[in-house]
Amino acid sequence: MSRQQAVWLLFSLWAARYALSVWQFLTLPPTGDSFVRGMNRVLALLGWQAAAAGVALALWLTGRGIQADAATRWLSRVPVLLALALAVGLAMLLLWARLRDPVPEDAPTTARPAPVTHPVTRD
């Protein structure tokens, strides 16, 4: 098998995993309660994206040796660039969530609940 054929085979494997990640995110029914409801969908997306990133790395390493066809060489770089864009986007989202609206140091403390002075009676 030539390098160019290997690139096309790896690219099709990557595209299938990438498409499966989006498909699972859109079609998987959300489970869980409250804040974590639907987290299974996000974890499925990230899991398949990690699998696609592994194939993308192999694709990039295989595509480095192609000399004759510049289009195939660039095609081997696209999946790695998309994986990096996803990683940078997630890092920026986490950083934004961490740094937005910091709590002021002189913020008032929450009031304590009133003490219970009598027991609860059951009828």
Side-chain angles (χ1 to χ4, degrees):
M1 177 182 290
S2 70
R3 278 190 182 263
Q4 195 165 13
Q5 290 172 335
V7 164
W8 284 103
L9 177 67
L10 287 171
F11 186 79
S12 64
L13 285 173
W14 170 81
R17 290 179 183 200
Y18 197 89
L20 188 59
S21 72
V22 174
W23 179 75
Q24 283 233 317
F25 180 74
L26 294 175
T27 61
L28 201 65
T31 61
D33 295 326
S34 189
F35 178 71
V36 293
R37 180 165 174 80
M39 190 61 90
N40 63 322
R41 298 167 67 179
V42 175
L43 292 177
L45 173 90
L46 292 177
W48 281 107
Q49 284 292 324
V55 175
L57 182 63
L59 179 60
W60 176 68
L61 291 173
T62 304
R64 283 187 347 180
I66 295 177
Q67 301 296 331
D69 191 10
T72 306
R73 192 170 352 130
W74 271 104
L75 181 70
S76 70
R77 295 175 184 165
V78 168
V80 171
L81 294 174
L82 285 175
L84 285 174
L86 178 67
V88 167
L90 283 174
M92 289 175 60
L93 177 69
L94 292 173
L95 187 64
W96 173 77
R98 175 69 177 106
L99 296 178
R100 73 174 182 97
D101 296 334
V103 177
E105 291 183 23
D106 59 341
T109 58
T110 58
R112 292 186 187 177
V116 177
T117 58
H118 59 280
V120 175
T121 58
R122 299 186 191 268
D123 294 328

